[in-house]
Amino acid sequence: MSECLFCRIINKQVPARVAHEDERVLAFEDITPQAPVHILVIPKKHLSTVLDIGPDDHALIGHMLQTAGNIARERGIADRGFRLVMNTNPEAGQTVYHIHLHILGGRPLHWPPG
Ligand code: AMP
Ligand code: ZN
C-alpha cells in the first residue's frame, strides 16, 4: 500500500531509525517516544488492524512478539519490565493503520493506562 506511512518506511521511502530488520518484520524507534525505550515492531505485510489478522498470519504475529522480546533484551529492559501495546481503532488511539507493536520501557509504567 503505497500511501501507508509504515509501508513507506518498509520501502525506505521514509527514513526511520531501524532497530531490527529481517524478511518478515521491521522494528524502528518511535518518532515521539513516550518512554526511554519506545520501539515499534511492524510486519512487512500490510495489515490495517489486528482485526485483519487471519489464520495465515499466526507465525508472523508470533515472530513479531519474539522480535519484541529480543529487542527488550538487547535494550536492557527485559528483566526490569516493559510493555507491549497494539492500539486498535479510534477509541484506543490508533493513528497509523498498519499494525505495530509498541515496545515501551526504561521507566515505571502505570496501570491502568490512560
Ligand atoms: P498508534 O497511535 O498506536 O497508531 O501509534 C502510532 C505511532 O507511530 C505513534 O507512537 C507515533 O509517534 C509513531 N509514528 C508516527 N509517524 C512515525 C514515523 N515517521 N516514524 C516513527 N514513528 C512514527
Ligand atoms: Zn502499510
Side-chain angles (χ1 to χ4, degrees):
M1 291 190 64
S2 57
E3 71 276 18
C4 167
L5 172 62
F6 286 177
C7 283
R8 289 170 62 82
I9 287 178
I10 291 164
N11 294 329
K12 312 297 184 197
Q13 295 165 304
V14 172
R17 292 169 60 199
V18 172
H20 170 86
E21 180 167 17
D22 63 40
E23 65 285 352
R24 288 182 287 171
V25 302
L26 180 70
F28 52 95
E29 308 276 348
D30 196 291
I31 204 167
T32 310
Q34 302 299 319
V37 177
H38 189 174
I39 293 170
L40 305 176
V41 183
I42 68 173
K44 290 191 170 177
K45 174 182 180 180
H46 180 91
L47 295 164
S48 296
T49 80
V50 292
L51 301 168
D52 296 315
I53 294 169
D56 292 345
D57 301 318
H58 291 186
L60 175 62
I61 301 304
H63 183 56
M64 287 175 65
L65 286 165
Q66 186 175 2
T67 298
N70 290 342
I71 292 170
R73 271 193 288 269
E74 286 167 13
R75 298 296 174 111
I77 57 171
D79 292 339
R80 293 173 59 182
F82 60 98
R83 187 167 293 161
L84 302 178
V85 174
M86 204 178 277
N87 294 320
T88 302
N89 280 336
E91 284 200 357
Q94 185 173 3
T95 57
V96 179
Y97 280 77
H98 179 131
I99 62 168
H100 45 282
L101 192 57
H102 294 258
I103 307 171
L104 292 154
R107 66 167 172 82
L109 299 166
H110 303 292
W111 192 264

